[in-house]
Amino acid sequence: MEVGMDVKATAAATPTAGGLYTSYNGSLTSQQELTDDDGDDVENSSSSKGKLLVASEAAQLEALERRLSVRHLALQFETGQHAPAKDTVKEEVVVTDRTTLTKKLQALLSELAGRLVGKQKDDAAEILSMLEMMEVQWGLKESELAQERADVKKMAALFKQASDDARRMVDEARSNAQAEVDAARAEVKAARATVARVEAAMEAAIEDRKESLSIDEKKELEQMRKEITEARRIRMLHEPSKTMDMEFEIEGLREQLTKKAVEVISLRKELVDAKRVAGAGPYELQGEERLGTSLIISPIDKNGPDLSKCNIQWHRVSVDGAKGGPVTGATRPQFSPEPFDVGWLLHANIILPNGKTEVASTSGPLDAAPGLGNYVEGLFKKGGADFNVRLVQQNGEILEKPSRHVLLVDSTRIKLSKNRSTKVKEEYSSIVQLCGARGGGQAAARALYWVPNKGLSLMLVLESERERNAAIMLARRFACDQNVTLVGPDDELSMGKNTASAA
């Protein structure tokens, strides 16, 4: 059999399934007639006419074999199976025709296989088995298509229901919103009408009262009207420029206050210099005498003893001189006052190499930082605040790489954390100590010393002097509400001493 023949030639010979079926019937009929005649001719004689009939039969069988090739039958079957259907009715008709055609084709192939022998019979059996396999595949594909069609219909129904529900919900929300807007408009309209009636009644009452008023009362009433009109105008305009003007005015007053403070300090120093007698101490304090700055011991005479060879101790002394004491840890030429030092005189006792003691003092009590009290009050009303800090020293040892943390100060505790992990947290108690850094250095005015418990001490550097002092004042304010005094090392004890015992 010619299994690999050209598909186009075969398709041209049998263009449709119906034509293929007709060709099969005609071929089988001719084959049957020729076979009968051939049998009669062989039995009667071996004449030339019989030879011609046998040759004709052989030619027809060869043509039939070509038409029944595997490739041709597969092409015809697949072409009919995958033919597109325009609608459901036509698709059912095509399926019915295919089923009938397949059955007839199987019957014809079975009959042909019964008549053929040898290799031709095997080829016919192979074609029949392939046709059965293709019929099974066709049935499976039809089942899959039917299932997909049912799923698509189900999903379309679900989508339609969801769309209807969404449209209904939107309509309900729109109607409810419209009803609320209408109700609000009605209330506003009623309120405006009420205000208009009240104002009209007040105007009428004022006009009635105006007739019985004296000239002075009429002038006062007119002035009140002008003030009310001005107040209404300001309220309607909501002028932000007035607020900005007030802020600029406050800032200007702060600058003037700072200048005045500097002038007062200068005058105090001049007064001290005027009172200074011959042979007075060779040292003085340099720097602004207010919170947020640093005080530095400076020699008046450059030929005097070097401070690095002297022993230094800073003291707090009350204005009347009745109380005071040493500031524990403040033993360097530079000292950064903390909020606890406000209102106190600061003295620096300098012990020279020869054993003589010199004193350098502030000209007056330490002043507070402008605006710091209001800032801390705002943080207190919020219930606490977070401060960005750097941990530079732990248990007296300087860290090689300072790490950044967040210091939380609230109404119950102080907590030091980094990212989401907590390093230290401690509630307010008599064990906790908190004060400003008492050493020297450029960051001393921004550093604070915190002892959360007996086995741990930390030195933290904040972003500014204002933040450092605000954190200390806020923590002490919260601790005071819990009857806890939050101070530095030995501060509470030294404040009870008088100046004589301190000396």
Side-chain angles (χ1 to χ4, degrees):
M1 181 190 297
E2 294 293 332
V3 178
M5 67 177 299
D6 189 13
V7 176
K8 294 183 180 180
T10 307
T14 57
T16 61
L20 178 62
Y21 173 65
T22 304
S23 300
Y24 289 161
N25 286 337
S27 299
L28 290 174
T29 304
S30 300
Q31 181 185 3
Q32 184 175 3
E33 291 175 358
L34 291 174
T35 305
D36 295 338
D37 294 339
D38 186 50
D40 295 337
D41 291 340
V42 171
E43 292 176 358
N44 294 330
S45 64
S46 58
S47 62
S48 61
K49 184 177 181 179
K51 293 180 179 180
L52 292 174
L53 291 175
V54 171
S56 177
E57 181 181 1
Q60 290 181 2
L61 286 174
E62 184 179 0
L64 180 61
E65 288 176 358
R66 291 178 181 177
R67 288 196 297 270
L68 293 179
S69 63
V70 175
R71 184 180 300 177
H72 178 65
L73 290 177
L75 178 62
Q76 290 296 326
F77 188 79
E78 291 179 358
T79 303
Q81 179 179 356
H82 296 284
K86 294 183 179 180
D87 50 24
T88 307
V89 178
K90 185 173 181 180
E91 184 178 0
E92 293 177 356
V93 172
V94 173
V95 171
T96 303
D97 293 341
R98 287 174 181 170
T99 304
T100 305
L101 177 61
T102 304
K103 291 181 179 180
K104 291 181 179 181
L105 185 59
Q106 289 178 348
L108 291 175
L109 288 174
S110 300
E111 184 179 356
L112 179 61
R115 294 188 178 187
L116 296 176
V117 293
K119 184 178 180 182
Q120 295 178 353
K121 185 175 182 179
D122 295 337
D123 292 340
E126 183 181 356
I127 294 171
L128 184 61
S129 63
M130 291 183 64
L131 183 60
E132 292 176 354
M133 292 174 59
M134 294 175 69
E135 184 179 4
V136 172
Q137 294 179 0
W138 181 36
L140 293 175
K141 289 185 178 181
E142 282 184 347
S143 301
E144 293 177 358
L145 290 174
Q147 183 64 29
E148 291 179 359
R149 192 181 298 109
D151 295 340
V152 169
K153 289 181 179 179
K154 187 183 297 183
M155 293 178 64
L158 292 175
F159 286 146
K160 183 178 180 181
Q161 183 179 359
S163 178
D164 294 340
D165 293 341
R167 189 180 297 106
R168 178 176 53 78
M169 293 175 63
V170 170
D171 293 339
E172 290 179 358
R174 187 182 292 110
S175 60
N176 293 336
Q178 187 64 32
E180 292 179 0
V181 170
D182 295 340
R185 287 178 179 175
E187 292 179 359
V188 172
K189 187 175 181 181
R192 288 179 178 176
T194 303
V195 171
R197 288 197 300 271
V198 172
E199 289 182 352
M202 291 178 64
E203 292 291 340
I206 291 173
E207 291 296 333
D208 294 340
R209 181 65 178 169
K210 189 175 180 181
E211 297 177 357
S212 60
L213 294 177
S214 62
I215 297 175
D216 295 337
E217 290 176 344
K218 288 181 180 180
K219 290 182 179 180
E220 185 178 357
L221 180 61
E222 195 66 27
Q223 183 65 24
M224 290 178 62
R225 284 184 174 179
K226 289 181 180 180
E227 292 178 359
I228 292 173
T229 303
E230 181 66 16
R232 287 178 177 176
R233 187 183 68 82
I234 294 175
R235 186 187 64 182
M236 293 291 291
L237 294 177
H238 294 287
E239 293 183 342
S241 59
K242 289 187 176 295
T243 304
M244 295 177 65
D245 293 341
M246 293 178 65
E247 291 179 355
F248 288 137
E249 185 177 356
I250 293 173
E251 188 65 26
L253 291 174
R254 286 179 179 175
E255 293 178 358
Q256 293 180 8
L257 181 61
T258 303
K259 292 180 180 179
K260 293 295 182 183
V262 173
E263 292 177 1
V264 169
I265 294 172
S266 178
L267 290 174
R268 286 177 180 175
K269 288 185 178 181
E270 291 179 2
L271 181 61
V272 171
D273 293 339
K275 292 181 179 180
R276 182 178 298 163
V277 295
Y283 300 98
E284 65 176 357
L285 298 181
Q286 297 288 340
E288 298 182 17
E289 297 177 0
R290 64 177 178 86
L291 184 63
T293 61
S294 296
L295 298 176
I296 302 175
I297 301 174
S298 177
I300 298 175
D301 187 5
K302 295 183 179 180
N303 296 326
D306 189 3
L307 289 175
S308 60
K309 300 178 181 180
C310 302
N311 294 327
I312 301 172
Q313 178 62 60
W314 290 81
H315 291 261
R316 296 189 189 97
V317 180
S318 62
V319 178
D320 57 3
K323 294 182 180 181
V327 181
T328 303
T331 58
R332 296 190 178 184
Q334 180 181 352
F335 179 71
S336 298
E338 60 146 304
F340 198 80
D341 299 322
V342 175
W344 293 79
L345 296 172
L346 295 177
H347 293 178
N349 292 344
I350 307 167
I351 302 176
L352 302 179
N354 57 9
K356 185 179 178 180
T357 301
E358 298 289 345
V359 179
S361 304
T362 57
S363 59
L366 191 72
D367 295 328
L372 182 60
N374 295 332
Y375 177 60
V376 174
E377 186 67 24
L379 297 179
F380 180 78
K381 291 180 179 179
K382 290 181 180 179
D386 294 334
F387 301 93
N388 296 324
V389 300
R390 288 186 297 114
L391 179 60
V392 297
Q393 186 174 339
Q394 182 172 345
N395 293 335
E397 297 181 0
I398 299 176
L399 302 180
E400 296 180 359
K401 294 182 179 180
S403 56
R404 295 186 178 274
H405 295 74
V406 175
L407 182 68
L408 171 64
V409 180
D410 58 18
S411 59
T412 59
R413 63 184 177 179
I414 303 176
K415 182 175 73 171
L416 183 67
S417 61
K418 183 176 182 180
N419 297 330
R420 295 184 178 180
S421 61
T422 301
K423 184 177 181 62
V424 185
K425 62 178 179 179
E426 193 69 32
E427 297 181 352
Y428 300 112
S429 64
S430 58
I431 301 176
V432 179
Q433 296 180 0
L434 183 68
C435 63
R438 296 173 178 178
Q442 298 179 352
R446 296 184 286 112
L448 61 82
Y449 179 73
W450 178 35
V451 181
N453 51 61
K454 293 183 178 180
L456 181 63
S457 63
L458 304 173
M459 186 72 72
L460 305 175
V461 178
L462 284 81
E463 294 179 344
S464 64
E465 296 84 356
R466 181 185 179 90
E467 294 291 319
R468 192 282 297 259
N469 295 324
I472 295 175
M473 293 176 64
L474 184 62
R476 289 174 177 173
R477 179 74 179 274
F478 285 131
C480 183
D481 291 345
Q482 300 184 15
N483 297 323
V484 176
T485 302
L486 201 60
V487 291
D490 301 331
D491 285 348
E492 191 173 5
L493 297 176
S494 65
M495 289 304 98
K497 299 179 181 179
N498 53 38
T499 55
S501 64

